[in-house]
Amino acid sequence: MAISNEAVAIYKKLIEKRWASVMSSVETEVNRCLEWLGSERNEVRRMTALRVIEVLCSNHLVPLHSYLTKFFATLSNPLRDQRSEIRVAAARTLGACMGLIPMSERNVRNPGLNFLYEELQRNFQMASVEGYH
């Protein structure tokens, strides 16, 4: 896990510089992260994917707006994961994703806000410890 944390920190520094070669890798990294979150049971890969998406979203990259609905859909399982570290990382990632939505689009019919509301309803119906966190 320490190696993936360092790799994400280095990737964050590269993203902040906004070099063309790094920016061209964003789509590839996003697709890899979505794949890891969707099908992987390897916890290190899932945590790394959450951290990479958080870093990408926190830097407000324009190409990521088209991935927001995919991010919301894939974050539903990590938000209810049994391990608290993954739930916390998923919550931080969700917060970073919500930061991509401009204030002018934060209305009642926004897909991101609808996702949050539906997930809250689903979690309360499950009545589990993971759902309440």
Side-chain angles (χ1 to χ4, degrees):
M1 187 68 80
I3 294 174
S4 66
N5 288 339
E6 290 179 24
V8 171
I10 291 170
Y11 193 62
K12 179 180 180 178
K13 289 178 183 178
L14 291 173
I15 289 292
E16 288 171 350
K17 296 190 184 290
R18 300 199 186 260
W19 290 336
S21 61
V22 175
M23 297 315 246
S24 65
S25 73
V26 168
E27 188 171 338
T28 306
E29 290 301 319
V30 167
N31 288 330
R32 180 180 298 141
C33 290
L34 290 173
E35 178 184 334
W36 284 358
L37 284 174
S39 63
E40 277 292 326
R41 293 308 309 167
N42 185 340
E43 293 176 5
V44 174
R45 282 187 175 183
R46 293 180 77 203
M47 186 65 98
T48 303
L50 289 169
R51 300 254 348 262
V52 168
I53 292 174
E54 178 188 357
V55 164
L56 291 172
C57 290
S58 64
N59 283 298
H60 303 289
L61 300 176
V62 175
L64 295 180
H65 289 282
S66 61
Y67 286 101
L68 276 178
T69 54
K70 291 180 183 179
F71 289 158
F72 292 141
T74 56
L75 284 176
S76 61
N77 287 334
L79 284 170
R80 290 190 301 264
D81 198 276
Q82 293 177 351
R83 292 191 55 206
S84 63
E85 296 89 15
I86 292 183
R87 285 195 309 263
V88 169
R92 273 192 258 126
T93 303
L94 180 62
C97 289
M98 293 300 288
L100 285 177
I101 301 172
M103 286 299 251
S104 60
E105 293 182 16
R106 292 184 185 178
N107 58 21
V108 179
R109 295 190 177 123
N110 188 297
L113 298 177
N114 287 338
F115 165 79
L116 286 176
Y117 179 74
E118 290 168 2
E119 283 298 309
L120 282 172
Q121 293 296 328
R122 192 172 333 172
N123 288 337
F124 284 134
Q125 290 173 354
M126 287 175 47
S128 67
V129 174
E130 291 84 10
Y132 289 125
H133 286 118

